[in-house]
């Protein structure tokens, strides 16, 4: 009963803990560092907020209900969530990932994981052949973003599961771009799902958070240990803000996506725009695979302008759309991936992927779609 996603966004798993007897409709913020012991050797179930906190717990349950997870840990950022997953691996092991990943993850792999003895390679994870060719005897993890950032490449998650099974790999999927409202990688065979909650989940460009959703009790236990030990747990207040954001996740995703479809089609017709990358366009190479594994295409669009000066003009002149990093919130944002999100990617790799001086990324927010089009039109 009450299984629909939009209902879960508002009520989570409907379980109200016994200790919360006030019936507060908005789950309370338990702003406390520690909890008194009930008696010698007895605990209320809560001892210290780094480990567990009721407000964070409510948020974690809500995310588990949305992703179909055994357990979810809420972190102080998306990067803290990614870092926690990387703690599963040991020196000498190899991680194979999508080649256009979130720039911060590439920086983590290349500048921190590498020094700690992990090896990382990047492959076109849209191709089973390319994944197979890059697997080595040391490979322990397949790390996927779909659609990817910023090129909107789509990986076939069911196929990734088959490859992971064949080689005994942990399959990790960063589901930030579609959110649990539109895609549930655990149901398609992922072992762990990562989110930056700072994006669609929080949804209001006002807080930073991250999640790891576990698909099995064994992994859930390992991630919990890392979460409470390494200590990047989400604060009670930020947990509450994120819970508040999730309540409208469904309706925001629906509306932002509707506007994104319209803007993607319209952008194609504009002078000065040479390419539009949006997974919801029928001729996008990943359209069919995405439609087979997700319930929508989301609200992220990348596009290419004719020249670098057109790109700069758009960034400088938009008035409603803010030139800023991040995505997924109520305010539309436009980003220059080459400079803002992917400066640490080697130039040769950037060029090959198409992350050049003419590429822009647009996160479509909740403003009226006519106003958004008018803003881009006047900027062009
Ligand atoms: C933003 C983002 C991250 C990092 O999350 P933070 O909350 O900024 O630390 C990871 N993956 C993707 C796809 C992102 O967009």
């Amino acid at each position: 009963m009450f299984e629909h996603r939009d209902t879960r966004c508002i009520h989570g798993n409907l379980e109200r803990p016994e200790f919360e007897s006030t019936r507060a409709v908005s789950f309370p913020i338990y702003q406390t560092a520690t909890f008194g012991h009930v008696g010698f050797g007895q605990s209320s179930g809560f001892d210290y907020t780094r480990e567990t906190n009721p407000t964070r717990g409510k948020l974690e349950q809500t995310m588990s209900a949305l992703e179909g997870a055994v357990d979810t840990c809420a972190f102080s950022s998306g990067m803290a969530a990614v870092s926690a997953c990387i703690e599963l691996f040991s020196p000498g092991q190899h991680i194979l990932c999508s080649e256009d990943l979130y720039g911060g993850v590439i920086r983590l792999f290349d500048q921190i994981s590498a020094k700690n003895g992990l090896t990382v390679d990047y492959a076109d994870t849209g191709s089973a052949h390319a994944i197979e060719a890059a697997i080595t005897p040391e490979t322990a993890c397949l790390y996927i973003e779909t659609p990817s950032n910023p090129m909107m490449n789509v990986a076939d998650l069911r196929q990734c599961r088959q490859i992971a099974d064949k080689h005994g790999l942990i399959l990790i999927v960063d589901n930030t771009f579609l959110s649990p409202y539109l895609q549930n990688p655990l149901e398609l065979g992922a072992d762990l799902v990562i989110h930056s909650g700072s994006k669609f989940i929080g949804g209001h460009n006002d807080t930073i958070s991250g999640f790891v959703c576990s698909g099995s009790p064994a992994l859930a236990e390992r991630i919990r240990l890392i979460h409470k030990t390494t200590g990047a747990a989400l604060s009670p207040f930020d947990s509450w803000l994120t819970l508040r954001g999730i309540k409208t996740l469904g309706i925001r995703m629906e509306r932002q996506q509707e506007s994104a479809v319209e803007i993607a089609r319209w952008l194609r017709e504009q002078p000065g725009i040479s390419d539009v990358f949006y997974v919801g366009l029928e001729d996008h190479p990943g359209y069919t695979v995405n439609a087979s594994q997700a319930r929508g295409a989301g609200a992220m669009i990348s596009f290419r302008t004719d020249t670098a000066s057109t790109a700069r003009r758009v960034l400088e002149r938009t008035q409603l759309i803010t030139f800023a990093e991040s995505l997924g919130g109520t305010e539309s944002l436009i980003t220059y991936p080459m400079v803002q999100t992917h400066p640490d990617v080697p130039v040769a790799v950037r060029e090959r992927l198409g992350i050049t001086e003419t590429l822009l990324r647009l996160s479509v927010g909740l403003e009226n779609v006519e106003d958004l089009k008018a803003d881009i039109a006047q900027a062009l």
Side-chain angles (χ1 to χ4, degrees):
M1 229 189 4
F2 310 133
E3 294 274 285
H4 291 91
R5 257 171 214 90
D6 36 7
T7 303
R8 286 188 187 168
C9 286
I10 294 161
H11 296 284
N13 64 2
L14 271 177
E15 272 171 33
R16 184 166 275 275
E18 277 167 33
F19 61 81
E20 221 311 283
S21 56
T22 64
R23 314 297 289 172
V25 169
S26 163
F27 197 88
I29 308 173
Y30 283 81
Q31 188 66 48
T32 181
T34 190
F35 301 81
H37 296 301
V38 179
F40 189 77
Q42 282 180 289
S43 161
S44 65
F46 297 95
D47 298 313
Y48 188 57
T49 279
R50 169 161 39 75
E51 301 191 352
T52 45
N53 174 278
T55 316
R56 191 193 310 126
K58 175 69 181 172
L59 171 62
E60 292 174 338
Q61 282 167 11
T62 301
M63 281 299 290
S64 290
L66 286 172
E67 275 295 12
V70 171
D71 186 32
T72 297
C73 289
F75 291 85
S76 55
S77 71
M79 287 310 302
V82 178
S83 303
C85 289
I86 301 313
E87 291 292 343
L88 292 169
F89 305 103
S90 308
Q93 289 190 313
H94 175 243
I95 298 173
L96 182 61
C97 45
S98 306
E99 53 186 355
D100 63 322
L101 281 183
Y102 179 71
V105 175
I106 296 178
R107 188 165 67 224
L108 172 75
F109 285 159
D110 292 351
Q111 297 187 27
I112 295 180
S113 304
K115 132 185 117 45
N116 293 339
L118 292 173
T119 56
V120 180
D121 275 312
Y122 302 89
D124 171 8
T125 50
S127 149
H129 180 74
I131 300 175
E132 288 275 5
I135 288 175
T136 73
E138 284 70 43
T139 307
C141 172
L142 192 54
Y143 186 101
I144 305 282
E145 263 183 42
T146 181
S148 67
N149 180 9
M151 297 311 299
M152 311 295 161
N153 293 319
V154 174
D156 183 330
L157 292 176
R158 293 183 183 90
Q159 203 170 58
C160 289
R161 178 70 261 164
Q162 286 175 2
I163 297 171
D165 278 340
K166 188 169 150 199
H167 299 275
L169 315 178
I170 293 182
L171 177 60
I172 302 179
V173 178
D174 182 332
N175 199 26
T176 300
F177 266 37
L178 289 184
S179 88
Y181 187 74
L182 293 179
Q183 179 168 268
N184 297 116
L186 295 176
E187 286 174 5
L188 300 161
D191 295 300
L192 295 171
V193 167
I194 292 173
H195 282 283
S196 167
S198 325
K199 315 297 170 56
F200 288 101
I201 290 173
H204 293 72
N205 291 322
D206 58 8
T207 188
I208 302 286
S209 65
F211 298 95
V212 178
C213 310
S214 300
S216 71
L219 274 173
E221 197 179 320
R222 292 175 70 191
I223 295 289
R224 269 276 155 216
L225 175 73
I226 295 167
H227 181 249
K228 76 174 184 188
T229 308
T230 58
L234 192 62
S235 75
F237 182 65
D238 284 349
S239 296
W240 182 83
L241 268 179
T242 308
L243 262 177
R244 185 184 211 263
I246 291 181
K247 292 189 190 204
T248 54
L249 175 67
I251 197 159
R252 284 188 283 108
M253 288 305 303
E254 298 282 1
R255 169 70 184 276
Q256 287 173 246
Q257 171 170 261
E258 191 185 304
S259 299
V261 172
E262 186 169 335
I263 290 172
R265 295 213 174 102
W266 172 84
L267 264 179
R268 287 182 145 180
E269 312 301 324
Q270 303 312 303
I273 305 294
S274 57
D275 261 314
V276 176
F277 308 96
Y278 178 60
V279 181
L281 294 172
E282 287 81 353
D283 54 2
H284 183 285
Y287 177 84
T288 311
V289 171
N290 186 69
S292 77
Q293 63 191 14
R295 293 176 292 277
M300 295 302 299
I301 302 171
S302 289
F303 60 98
R304 202 178 286 298
T305 55
D306 51 0
T307 64
S309 69
T310 306
R312 208 161 43 238
R313 199 165 68 234
V314 171
L315 292 171
E316 281 170 357
R317 286 203 197 159
T318 50
Q319 292 167 7
L320 190 58
I321 304 171
T322 307
F323 173 24
E325 278 174 48
S326 201
L327 60 108
T330 41
E331 296 82 7
S332 295
L333 302 179
I334 194 160
T335 308
Y336 203 24
M338 184 183 86
V339 175
Q340 288 181 292
T341 56
H342 289 69
D344 293 312
V345 178
V347 178
V349 177
R350 265 196 332 240
E351 295 284 331
R352 182 163 49 78
L353 295 176
I355 307 173
T356 65
E357 57 188 8
T358 58
L359 187 79
L360 297 175
R361 193 190 73 185
L362 176 67
S363 169
V364 179
L366 276 182
E367 301 91 343
N368 184 285
V369 68
E370 296 306 327
D371 289 340
L372 291 174
K373 287 194 288 189
D375 193 29
I376 300 169
Q378 65 79 27
L380 279 168

